[in-house]
Amino acid sequence: MSGKLGEIEARIGATHQLEAVVGAMRAIAAARARDAHARLAGIRACAAAAGAAIGDVLAFDPSSASTSATHADEGAEVCIVIGAEQGFVGGLNDRIADEALRRPLASPRHWLLVGTRLASACAERGMGEAWSVPMAAHPAAVPHLAARVSDALYARLADGERATRVTLTHALPGESRLRIVQRTLIPFDFARFEVTPRALPPLVNVAPARLLSGLVGLYVSFELCEALMLAFAAENEARVRAMLAARTNVRQRLDTLSQQYRAMRQDEITSEIVELTTGREAAQRTRD
């Protein structure tokens, strides 16, 4: 009986260690999610400055927007899909992969996948050849990752297949239920920018169309950076939820093991009492 008690004690000790690991993973994920949220304000401020500059260019030369516009139905589509790099995020990657593949294939597509686990989920669903890159391991690495994705994007926009449409799919943080968004980056929507006419136009040293093209590229880069940071926060919030569920399961397992230990210990004590009583009675009969 004592051997079984020792085995249960060992399992209880291992479960306590697992609970500590789960708690540490939850704390790390929560800290990373907070860090990502804190960095969003700076990214959005930069995007707002670029948007204000776009509005200024449109104010003194509205025709420059038409020269930058493209027809989305004429070429291929570039699909940027952002998922998770590591596990313990529930069904996050599966949901993102399903959403990315949900629309019918209307034109050739180039896939840009961010996140090793997401790339695996897409491959399991029969996605063809795709460019992929690991997701950032911490928020400070997101701007560098955004630059890599931007380079891959513009390489495909400039290739011979004339990709003219770019979509972006990722998860959103801060939701009680997992929410996946899919939006269009290109064709670029100029209508969202406030255009305030000026009495005197600003002094520029380059052609308005060229200036606007550069500002659009900068704004798209900021949009990518924001999406990556949101996806990073969503990944870590999903991990926090997964760790909370794991902690509940671990504690239930601890309760079960503790009950088994107490019941077995009680059985052992009862057996010892019976053995002592039987031995005493046997000794007394021998003396009589």
Side-chain angles (χ1 to χ4, degrees), residues 8-121:
I8 292 179
E9 285 180 341
R11 292 169 64 185
I12 289 174
T15 306
H16 277 298
Q17 292 178 356
L18 177 60
E19 184 180 24
V21 171
V22 168
M25 292 179 64
R26 179 175 61 87
I28 292 171
R32 288 177 175 175
R34 287 194 299 269
D35 192 3
H37 281 290
R39 294 172 185 264
L40 282 171
I43 297 172
R44 288 166 176 165
C46 292
I54 291 173
D56 288 339
V57 175
L58 294 176
F60 73 85
D61 189 1
S63 63
S64 58
S66 61
T67 61
S68 299
T70 57
H71 298 286
D73 298 332
E74 291 182 357
E77 178 179 350
V78 178
C79 302
I80 304 173
V81 189
I82 307 172
E85 176 64 21
Q86 301 173 353
F88 303 107
V89 291
L92 177 64
N93 290 304
D94 293 329
R95 287 279 306 277
I96 295 174
D98 290 339
E99 181 65 24
L101 293 168
R102 182 175 57 84
R103 290 191 301 112
L105 185 63
S107 60
R109 290 182 183 175
H110 302 285
W111 295 98
L112 305 183
L113 308 180
V114 181
T116 303
R117 296 297 180 98
L118 171 71
S120 298

Side-chain angles (χ1 to χ4, degrees), residues 26-270:
R26 179 175 61 87
I28 292 171
R32 288 177 175 175
R34 287 194 299 269
D35 192 3
H37 281 290
R39 294 172 185 264
L40 282 171
I43 297 172
R44 288 166 176 165
C46 292
I54 291 173
D56 288 339
V57 175
L58 294 176
F60 73 85
D61 189 1
S63 63
S64 58
S66 61
T67 61
S68 299
T70 57
H71 298 286
D73 298 332
E74 291 182 357
E77 178 179 350
V78 178
C79 302
I80 304 173
V81 189
I82 307 172
E85 176 64 21
Q86 301 173 353
F88 303 107
V89 291
L92 177 64
N93 290 304
D94 293 329
R95 287 279 306 277
I96 295 174
D98 290 339
E99 181 65 24
L101 293 168
R102 182 175 57 84
R103 290 191 301 112
L105 185 63
S107 60
R109 290 182 183 175
H110 302 285
W111 295 98
L112 305 183
L113 308 180
V114 181
T116 303
R117 296 297 180 98
L118 171 71
S120 298
C122 291
E124 291 172 358
R125 286 159 174 77
M127 180 182 289
E129 182 180 355
W131 178 90
S132 64
V133 65
M135 182 57 168
H138 48 83
V142 167
H144 176 69
L145 175 59
R148 291 187 64 184
V149 177
S150 296
D151 291 343
L153 169 61
Y154 291 123
R156 281 148 185 80
L157 291 177
D159 70 8
E161 295 189 29
R162 294 185 64 250
T164 56
R165 181 179 179 85
V166 179
T167 59
L168 182 60
T169 305
H170 62 91
L172 285 179
E175 301 286 341
S176 57
R177 298 180 61 185
L178 182 62
R179 181 184 172 195
I180 310 298
V181 295
Q182 189 173 81
R183 56 195 179 96
T184 301
L185 291 182
I186 298 175
F188 196 75
D189 180 16
F190 289 96
R192 56 182 149 165
F193 300 104
E194 181 179 356
V195 178
T196 304
R198 295 185 178 185
L200 294 176
L203 179 63
V204 296
N205 298 318
V206 296
R210 182 181 175 187
L211 175 60
L212 187 63
S213 177
L215 288 171
V216 167
L218 182 63
Y219 191 89
V220 169
S221 297
F222 288 139
E223 285 188 303
L224 280 173
C225 192
E226 180 188 26
L228 287 166
M229 195 68 75
L230 288 170
F232 182 86
E235 173 186 346
N236 282 277
E237 288 183 4
R239 187 166 294 114
V240 169
R241 291 191 292 269
M243 291 303 101
L244 288 173
R247 184 184 64 177
T248 299
N249 292 333
V250 167
R251 290 183 174 178
Q252 291 175 350
R253 181 60 177 165
L254 277 173
D255 290 341
T256 301
L257 288 173
S258 297
Q259 290 174 4
Q260 291 177 357
Y261 180 84
R262 287 192 295 268
M264 191 169 293
R265 180 59 179 161
Q266 186 61 49
D267 289 343
E268 188 176 72
I269 292 173
T270 302

